Amino acid sequence: MTYIHDTITRLQHSSPAQAEFYQAVEEVLESIGPVLEADDRYRRHSIIERITEPERQIMFRVPWVDDAGNVQVNKGYRIEFSSTLGPYKGGLRFHRNVNAGIIKFLGFEQIFKNALTGLPIGGGKGGANFDPKGKSNGEIMRFCQSFMTELYRHIGPNTDVPAGDIGVGTREIGYMFGQYKRLTARYDGVLTGKSLLWGGSAVRKEATGYGCVYFAQYMLEDRGDSLTGKTCLVSGSGNVAIYTIEKLYQLGACPVTCSDSSGTIYHPDGIDLETLKDLKEVRSARLEEYLERHPGASFIPASDYPCDGHAVWRIAADLAFPSATQNELTEADAQALVAGGCKLVAEGANMPCTQGAVDVILDARLCYGPGKAANAGGVSTSQLEMAQNASMQCWSFDEVDSKLKAIMANIFRAARDTAAEFGEPHNLVLGANIAGFRRVADAMIEQGVV
Ligand code: NDP
């Protein structure tokens, strides 16, 4: 596979020190090898060379004033990767680790995820190396306003429509939308994940977690199994993790863990959702406080877990839902999951499994829902929010939820049928990557060399 080696070498020279980006590119290239061999149009049109280079990368200074009156400066990004299938679409991440390589990996994944949904949306991603932890409301607002003061000139309801991601929820979207409106004097559907009070969509908050559980349900049903009575491991305790836990309960499963960067809660009776929402959605508290209300649970501090991996994955259970961040589930974790009898891994987060972990999971023939398929419910519901904004309509919770369910079923079928077409029916990584790639690559050929 010299083209994989050549592409990665070229990217290492043209875009140095972007390890997560090379990892994401390598995973896609490994999957699409059979398509490139079967159809030489993709090589003749230099699709790989073009699709690995963003159409546009915007990096900017974000100055703001903290509560003590000191001037702070962060770095902002918006990477507009591909507009082949529609306006750039993808979230904004505010986290101290954000850099160009992380935003590029997320933007690259987004191209194929969005293509797989079958909806008219291109791929993009953005964010800043801003750490929202411990910041006051006023500081968050001033940061968001400064961020939008540069970003507004690059986005629009038909050009680029950002949403939330790690560190960016309804509050941050609200502050950014307010500043966009003030700068442009327009009330556009320029951001998704808005509050239900002023243009948001029902189910958007729940969509990624709910969609991931629907995807898991379709994978299990395909093997004659179901979610009922299954013990589940969930990592993270943010937006995706909370609504994964909520939907697991609704469908008869029992989630027993959640985590944050301070450690892991293990509650064998089942995570108490009300306590978790209160800690994380209302009070932004540390996870360890969960024990004050549930002494039967245990807390494993991240600092007590120095070995390779994450405490969540060392607990025996039926199903696993990594929902925190990239590379949080290592090869050693995957081996522990297999040894513990786990049957399924569905990725709520983006690229949470290392390549070594993916190999272990596929070799053991577990059901494996890669993020670009399993967590596509978030961006799909964002597109439903765009559709409602553009038509000045407001759909009910049940209406959006049933559309979400249908979209997740379509994504599952596209990934499964494409995997079968290429002789590896259990391999949804291959199926998702090829199905997404073919749609966007064929459209690129039809649109000429741009
Ligand atoms: P949130 O900011 O709401 O929550 C993130 C959670 O992950 C927090 O509990 C956080 O803990 C934990 N976390 C983050 N980094 C680390 C780390 N290095 N080690 C341990 N825990 C960590 O983000 P979301 O729930 O929105 O996003 C989670 C994942 O899902 C991301 O990969 C995101 O890209 C992906 N995703 C999100 C979508 C959405 O609609 N929101 C859509 C599709 C994918 P702490 O607070 O301590 O940092």
Side-chain angles (χ1 to χ4, degrees):
M1 297 256 205
T2 53
Y3 79 97
I4 299 182
H5 175 262
D6 292 351
T7 303
I8 299 297
T9 306
R10 179 173 51 77
L11 293 175
Q12 282 168 340
H13 280 109
S14 65
S15 309
Q18 299 189 342
E20 291 85 358
F21 176 52
Y22 314 143
Q23 183 184 343
V25 171
E26 197 163 349
E27 186 226 87
V28 170
L29 293 186
E30 272 178 9
S31 296
I32 62 175
V35 185
L36 298 182
E37 270 159 36
D39 189 340
D40 77 338
R41 289 179 313 138
Y42 300 127
R43 291 204 187 199
R44 279 194 284 110
H45 290 269
S46 294
I47 295 296
I48 300 302
E49 289 78 357
R50 286 196 276 153
I51 210 167
T52 52
E53 191 60 41
E55 290 175 13
R56 196 172 297 105
Q57 303 184 60
I58 302 145
M59 292 185 215
F60 50 98
R61 183 172 71 196
V62 189
W64 55 283
V65 180
D66 68 19
D67 286 347
N70 301 313
V71 176
Q72 303 284 345
V73 181
N74 288 98
K75 188 156 182 161
Y77 302 85
R78 185 70 184 165
I79 299 199
E80 297 182 333
F81 228 116
S82 169
S83 60
T84 303
L85 298 176
Y88 307 103
K89 186 86 199 84
L92 298 171
R93 176 176 292 192
F94 292 167
H95 191 274
R96 62 182 184 282
N97 293 345
V98 160
N99 57 40
I102 289 190
I103 299 299
K104 253 172 107 173
F105 116 66
L106 291 163
F108 185 73
E109 290 276 295
Q110 201 81 47
I111 303 172
F112 304 96
K113 180 190 304 190
N114 294 2
L116 194 57
T117 65
L119 301 168
I121 39 180
K125 199 83 187 186
N129 63 347
F130 170 73
D131 186 358
K133 285 205 187 93
K135 302 289 190 300
S136 70
N137 243 323
E139 289 175 323
I140 300 274
M141 181 181 76
R142 290 193 293 280
F143 177 81
C144 289
Q145 289 176 338
S146 181
F147 185 84
M148 186 51 84
T149 300
E150 174 58 34
L151 188 68
Y152 87 96
R153 66 189 91 240
H154 308 289
I155 61 177
N158 296 310
T159 51
D160 185 351
V161 187
D165 190 79
I166 292 179
V168 178
T170 313
R171 175 182 59 168
E172 291 75 17
I173 294 288
Y175 291 146
M176 286 190 273
F177 184 79
Q179 184 72 352
Y180 173 86
K181 192 161 57 68
R182 187 173 191 199
L183 290 165
T184 61
R186 293 177 67 97
Y187 206 106
D188 282 333
V190 72
L191 292 164
T192 58
K194 300 185 289 294
S195 159
L196 289 173
L197 294 176
W198 47 271
S201 172
V203 197
R204 177 59 191 90
K205 183 174 65 169
E206 296 83 357
T208 308
Y210 278 21
C212 187
V213 178
Y214 292 144
F215 196 88
Q217 187 183 30
Y218 296 131
M219 284 196 288
L220 289 171
E221 282 172 3
D222 205 49
R223 291 194 181 185
D225 203 346
S226 81
L227 284 163
T228 314
K230 297 288 190 301
T231 304
C232 305
L233 305 175
V234 179
S235 64
S237 52
N239 172 268
V240 178
I242 288 173
Y243 292 96
T244 295
I245 289 172
E246 183 165 287
K247 184 52 76 177
L248 284 170
Y249 277 127
Q250 287 174 10
L251 296 181
C254 181
V256 294
T257 61
C258 60
S259 67
D260 68 9
S261 46
S262 71
T264 294
I265 290 286
Y266 173 44
H267 194 172
D269 296 342
I271 293 293
D272 184 71
L273 190 57
E274 209 180 304
T275 303
L276 182 62
K277 283 188 177 180
D278 180 52
L279 289 178
K280 292 297 179 181
E281 292 190 328
V282 182
R283 297 199 284 122
S284 300
R286 298 316 290 167
L287 206 48
E288 198 171 358
E289 287 184 34
Y290 184 95
L291 296 187
E292 290 169 14
R293 284 192 230 168
H294 301 284
S298 48
F299 180 73
I300 310 158
S303 56
D304 277 13
Y305 205 80
C307 59
D308 172 21
H310 194 316
V312 171
W313 315 122
R314 304 307 169 101
I315 294 161
D318 301 313
L319 316 176
F321 294 84
S323 310
T325 193
Q326 65 272 359
N327 292 328
E328 55 158 311
L329 197 160
T330 65
E331 186 173 341
D333 291 328
Q335 282 160 351
L337 284 175
V338 173
C342 181
K343 295 183 176 66
L344 170 147
V345 178
E347 295 184 339
N350 283 310
M351 208 169 72
C353 294
T354 64
Q355 190 54 51
V358 176
D359 293 342
V360 170
I361 291 165
L362 290 177
D363 284 350
R365 291 286 198 268
L366 267 52
C367 292
Y368 173 53
K372 60 171 76 71
N375 73 32
V379 73
S380 302
T381 309
S382 275
Q383 197 276 342
L384 300 178
E385 183 172 329
M386 289 164 70
Q388 289 169 80
N389 292 163
S391 59
M392 309 282 262
Q393 288 181 34
C394 195
W395 303 335
S396 70
F397 191 97
D398 288 347
E399 207 173 346
V400 180
D401 192 35
S402 65
K403 287 182 198 293
L404 168 66
K405 236 177 148 173
I407 291 169
M408 295 314 294
N410 285 339
I411 293 172
F412 171 70
R413 277 194 293 270
R416 181 200 57 191
D417 295 352
T418 309
E421 182 188 338
F422 284 85
E424 295 195 37
H426 71 285
N427 188 344
L428 298 188
V429 185
L430 182 104
N433 281 331
I434 293 182
F437 174 79
R438 280 203 296 212
R439 181 170 175 229
V440 70
D442 290 349
M444 285 172 77
I445 292 171
E446 288 181 7
Q447 290 175 15
V449 178
V450 289

